[in-house]
Amino acid sequence: MAKAKPPTHKPTTYPQAAIDRMLAAIQFDPQGLVPAIAQQHGSGEVLMMAWMDRNAVAETMRTGRVSYWSRSRKAAWRKGDTSGHIQELVDFRVDCDGDTLLVEVEQTGVACHTGRHNCFFRAIRDGRLEEIALVEVDMEKTS
């Protein structure tokens, strides 16, 4: 299993005025959350979907390290703080309705907590739901 390689670019950061404009454009749900799709810069591969609150949006745009809100833990989390499998921001986008975010990232290591490269590793094959991607990293050993 491969060790995560360090990123090769400088993460994108934004000034406070740009962060404020983005926050004003986002339509957060009644719980104060918005879905955020993480996409690999360059390849366009969809890596994962998670939730962001206002603080996660602001921290991501300010620092260039992608942060999310965990609905199950009811807590903020920055991708890779415990595993080392980080996401550095390349571009931060909001859709036409303001209700979905796209974070283009440079992924270091794997994106999925199962140790797979992305979270979309199950699909119907021959009428059965099957795993179509192998585990790349034993996440028990990286936490």
Side-chain angles (χ1 to χ4, degrees), residues 3 5 7 9 12 19-20 26 38 47-49 52-53 64 67 84 86 88 90 94 96 98 104 106 122 137 141:
K3 178 87 171 135
K5 293 179 183 156
H9 82 286
T12 302
I19 295 169
D20 293 342
I26 297 171
L47 299 171
M48 58 180 276
M49 191 291 283
M52 286 186 167
D53 64 358
S67 298
I86 65 172
E88 289 193 332
V90 175
V94 61
C96 56
E104 193 173 325
E106 188 64 41
R122 299 185 304 163
V137 175
K141 293 181 180 177

Side-chain angles (χ1 to χ4, degrees), residues 54-72:
R54 292 180 69 82
N55 292 335
V57 169
E59 180 176 333
T60 296
M61 293 180 74
R62 187 179 72 255
T63 67
R65 283 280 310 278
V66 183
S67 298
Y68 298 102
W69 175 261
S70 171
R71 294 182 308 167
S72 60

Side-chain angles (χ1 to χ4, degrees), residues 93 120 138:
R93 303 177 188 184
F120 299 96
D138 182 349

Side-chain angles (χ1 to χ4, degrees), residues 33 48 50-51 67-82 113 143:
L33 302 174
M48 58 180 276
W51 297 92
S67 298
Y68 298 102
W69 175 261
S70 171
R71 294 182 308 167
S72 60
R73 293 186 303 264
K74 296 182 179 18
W77 59 283
R78 189 166 52 193
K79 185 72 173 159
D81 273 358
T82 57
H113 73 278
S143 298

Side-chain angles (χ1 to χ4, degrees), residues 110-125:
V110 298
C112 188
H113 73 278
T114 66
R116 291 171 178 85
H117 192 258
N118 71 57
C119 293
F120 299 96
F121 60 87
R122 299 185 304 163
I124 298 295
R125 298 293 187 262

